[in-house]
Amino acid sequence: MSDPRPTPHLPTRPLRFGTSGVPDSAPKPSSEAGIRRSRELGLDCMEMAMVQKVTIGPATAAKVRAAAGREDVALSIHAPYYINLNSQDAQKLADSQTRILAAARAGDLCGARNIVLHLGFYHANTPAETTDILYRHLKPVVEQLQAEGSQAVLRPEVMGRLSQWGDLDEVLDLCAALPGLLPCLDVAHLYARHQGAYNTYAEFLDVLDCMAARLGRVALDDLHLHISGIAYGPRGERHHLTFAEGDFNYRDCLRALRDRQCRGLVIGESPARERDVLLLKETWVESEVEL
Ligand SMILES: [Zn+2]
């Protein structure tokens, strides 16, 4: 009998939902256990949190890849936090480039295509200057990966703190300038960065339309979205919250994704990851009737 499960990365539903990191209820904190647990929970993707260091070796990566294929769970990778492509320190800059390469190569081994990146801080530079500096320092990394035949899609993330490069227009500028890059749209960060704006159906549609206008329809056909509740202050993001604790309007966000026929991965980053991701997925499934 042929295997009825679909090929990984070709979702039967437009959006796949999954946790950031291994689900809490997995029997062990390994990626393989996380993939199996995701499938048991009815989740279709998982973001591997390599936020301290990329440590996965080829043998483990092969097992992870096989498990993801078997369970039809699409994988992505969150690259290390210790990346700053606007560092004045040549060593830190080189280390940052090395970490991005390592995350992308790990992605190729595991079959994780989307590689989420925090690219850096403004320091004394203007947003436009910073985008330009990041472009210059990321370009050789992209070219190296292309020369290696990498399948990785680097995803600069929309960031939540005002000191961090990564407002939506900056991320879109960089993605438009460097072919092959696509955004990681963190809707909670965008909301926190703008003091609670970007929280209505009309604003979510604006964001999606803006992405499509700058990058083409691919931006919505191949979306990578982070979502959670979030607390913010005058300098933007403070910390993530559950949907129940915060007032992030995930229902209208999902409604906008549905109405723009978005496809891709939705990664839940709330402190109650599984519960909130399952809430999203349930809301989404219901939304196919009415939201
Ligand atoms: Zn992130």
Side-chain angles (χ1 to χ4, degrees):
M1 209 172 91
S2 68
D3 189 335
R5 283 171 296 204
T7 314
H9 308 305
L10 292 175
T12 48
R13 286 186 182 281
L15 294 181
R16 285 176 176 244
F17 293 86
T19 52
S20 157
V22 173
D24 298 315
S25 63
K28 358 181 237 188
S30 74
S31 296
E32 264 188 278
I35 290 163
R36 281 195 298 272
R37 185 62 188 145
S38 294
R39 175 48 59 209
E40 285 167 7
L41 290 166
L43 301 176
D44 318 292
C45 63
M46 186 180 89
E47 186 147 293
M48 297 165 75
M50 299 192 181
V51 295
Q52 305 300 328
K53 206 170 178 215
V54 176
T55 49
I56 194 162
T60 308
K63 287 186 197 163
V64 167
R65 187 188 191 103
R70 204 166 48 236
E71 305 291 350
D72 183 29
V73 170
L75 298 175
S76 56
I77 288 180
H78 198 305
Y81 292 141
Y82 308 105
I83 286 171
N84 184 3
L85 291 185
N86 189 23
S87 178
Q88 297 293 308
D89 180 325
Q91 187 60 50
K92 283 187 185 155
L93 181 58
D95 289 346
S96 296
Q97 291 170 318
T98 301
R99 288 183 184 119
I100 298 171
L101 285 169
R105 287 168 181 154
D108 281 326
L109 291 174
C110 298
R113 196 177 63 111
N114 294 343
I115 312 295
V116 175
L117 304 169
H118 298 185
L119 284 179
F121 297 85
Y122 299 113
H123 303 298
N125 297 108
T126 65
E129 286 165 355
T130 311
T131 303
D132 190 50
I133 292 163
L134 298 182
Y135 168 84
R136 281 190 276 118
H137 294 154
L138 192 56
K139 192 163 185 269
V141 176
V142 171
E143 286 169 351
Q144 174 67 32
L145 290 170
Q146 282 166 351
E148 293 175 12
S150 172
Q151 300 296 305
V153 177
L154 302 184
R155 302 263 183 176
E157 181 173 339
V158 171
M159 299 305 296
R161 297 197 177 95
L162 296 182
S163 58
Q164 295 169 309
W165 176 89
D167 204 348
L168 178 65
D169 55 344
E170 297 158 16
V171 169
L172 295 181
D173 282 347
L174 185 62
C175 290
L178 257 180
L181 255 58
L182 283 172
C184 168
L185 174 62
D186 190 317
V187 285
H189 283 169
L190 189 64
Y191 156 88
R193 188 179 186 108
H194 293 275
Q195 310 292 313
Y198 295 104
N199 203 27
T200 64
Y201 176 69
E203 287 167 317
F204 294 128
L205 285 184
D206 275 352
V207 168
L208 298 174
D209 291 344
C210 180
M211 288 172 64
R214 286 302 309 278
L215 303 177
R217 177 67 212 182
V218 66
L220 306 190
D221 281 338
D222 189 0
L223 194 69
H224 193 86
L225 195 115
H226 282 181
I227 186 168
S228 70
I230 198 161
Y232 60 87
R235 287 176 295 171
E237 174 188 2
R238 282 208 166 117
H239 51 86
H240 288 195
L241 299 171
T242 64
F243 289 128
E245 290 164 335
D247 69 351
F248 184 74
N249 184 359
Y250 66 90
R251 292 184 74 86
D252 277 343
C253 183
L254 289 178
R255 193 152 71 95
L257 296 175
R258 180 195 65 185
D259 292 348
R260 285 296 181 265
Q261 297 173 308
C262 293
R263 306 180 75 84
L265 308 188
V266 175
I267 302 294
E269 291 198 312
S270 115
R273 290 176 294 181
E274 292 172 44
R275 197 186 65 209
D276 274 0
V277 172
L278 290 169
L279 173 65
L280 284 175
K281 175 139 190 196
E282 265 166 40
T283 310
W284 176 258
V285 171
E286 283 163 18
S287 84
E288 296 189 313
V289 186
E290 191 49 64
L291 198 75

